[in-house]
Amino acid sequence: MPVEITWWGHATCTVEDSGTRVLTDPLFARRLAHLRRRRGAPPPPAAAVADVALVSHLHADHLHVPSLARLGPGTRLLVPRGARRAVPGLRRLGHLRLTEVEPGMTVPVGDLRIRVVRAAHDGRRLPLGPHRSPALGFVIEGEARTYFAGDTGLFDSMAEEVGAVDVALLPVGGWGPYLGEGHLDAGRAAQALARLAPRSAVPVHYGTYWPIGMDHVRPHEFHTPGEEFVRRAAECAPEVAVHRLGHGESVRPEVAR
């Protein structure tokens, strides 16, 4: 069966590979603190059906406890090392099979292997407490090798640590008018694409949430990162097929056979 990727908005995707459903950074809320969902309806209940959910880091727009609570009983949940200590709400999710992971680990799920890699990003549960956990990326290895970058900046050994991949799910924006250190904008994501050299790419982490009351503050940072990434990718990595999805849309990218 072909590998299928669905983008639900922000960093939330479903990757279906080898009969296994993988959900990334589940975020199903209409509103999160000072953020509201400005584009795309919240994902339907079917989006919460997964064999395993991957959490890239502890920031509330990536580790959202109410969204994780919607996952079905017995769902595997991979979270960064130290997450239980830093996010007490995880302890209420007794219906999930939670495993703390760190870079270098590989976790088998069905016919897949989930390989944990490093991300260059602040992994703390801001603004609460001093506890640190690593920010992670994941490589889902089955019929395809799909890299979910989570949140990350560029780093010199990115291609070496991630390894050869068929598909890259890369963040290209954010949820506010400014991107700080440890993020990819459209230009830096295109540079990452050139280093990774996958066959296909899907831009994520843009065009979904925006701070309440800031609709007119640098609105291009909300609306344009996906289109800008397509343009920059064509310059930096013209051999890569870029699939810019709408919310809830799916693609079956070409993979090596």
Side-chain angles (χ1 to χ4, degrees):
M1 178 178 178
V3 175
E4 184 169 273
I5 295 166
T6 303
W7 182 51
W8 301 111
H10 204 54
T12 306
C13 299
T14 295
V15 179
E16 297 188 61
D17 188 336
S18 304
T20 301
R21 288 174 60 94
V22 181
L23 183 64
T24 66
D25 286 351
L27 182 57
F28 304 140
R30 290 184 180 274
R31 179 171 174 175
L32 173 64
H34 64 300
L35 306 178
R36 65 184 174 94
R37 192 174 181 113
R38 284 199 56 207
R39 185 182 288 170
V49 177
D51 298 291
V52 60
L54 312 178
V55 171
S56 63
H57 61 289
L58 305 190
H59 293 174
D61 58 320
H62 293 259
L63 195 167
H64 186 242
V65 173
S67 294
L68 294 175
R70 292 175 54 181
L71 302 179
T75 303
R76 294 286 304 273
L77 177 62
L78 305 188
V79 300
R81 174 183 45 77
R84 283 191 187 93
R85 179 182 62 176
V87 186
L90 284 173
R91 301 168 195 167
R92 300 195 301 267
L93 304 180
H95 66 296
L96 304 179
R97 295 188 291 149
L98 188 149
T99 303
E100 295 191 352
V101 296
E102 60 186 352
M105 294 179 64
T106 298
V107 180
V109 179
D111 290 332
L112 302 180
R113 288 163 31 99
I114 310 294
R115 186 162 53 85
V116 186
V117 298
R118 180 167 66 96
H121 190 70
D122 188 338
R124 291 177 295 174
R125 181 69 164 185
L126 298 175
L128 304 176
H131 300 306
R132 290 187 174 273
S133 288
L136 308 174
F138 298 91
V139 180
I140 303 160
E141 299 180 340
E143 290 289 325
R145 293 161 298 182
T146 302
Y147 171 47
F148 170 62
D151 251 356
T152 188
L154 279 172
F155 54 97
D156 290 342
S157 59
M158 175 182 276
E160 178 183 354
E161 294 186 33
V162 171
V165 292
D166 299 294
V167 186
L169 310 180
L170 292 179
V172 302
W175 51 254
Y178 302 101
L179 281 175
E181 184 179 355
H183 294 84
L184 297 177
D185 60 11
R188 292 192 292 270
Q191 293 177 47
L193 196 65
R195 298 183 186 188
L196 295 165
R199 298 174 70 91
S200 303
V202 176
V204 302
H205 204 287
Y206 77 100
T208 308
Y209 292 91
W210 204 246
I212 294 169
M214 297 186 71
D215 289 10
H216 301 295
V217 178
R218 297 174 64 85
H220 63 283
E221 296 290 355
F222 177 82
H223 291 287
T224 63
E227 296 173 0
E228 179 70 5
F229 174 70
V230 172
R231 185 180 71 79
R232 295 288 190 95
E235 297 171 354
C236 295
E239 70 285 356
V240 180
V242 177
H243 305 278
R244 185 169 69 87
L245 303 178
H247 293 82
E249 289 186 347
S250 302
V251 65
R252 291 182 173 180
E254 182 181 355
V255 301
R257 295 296 181 184

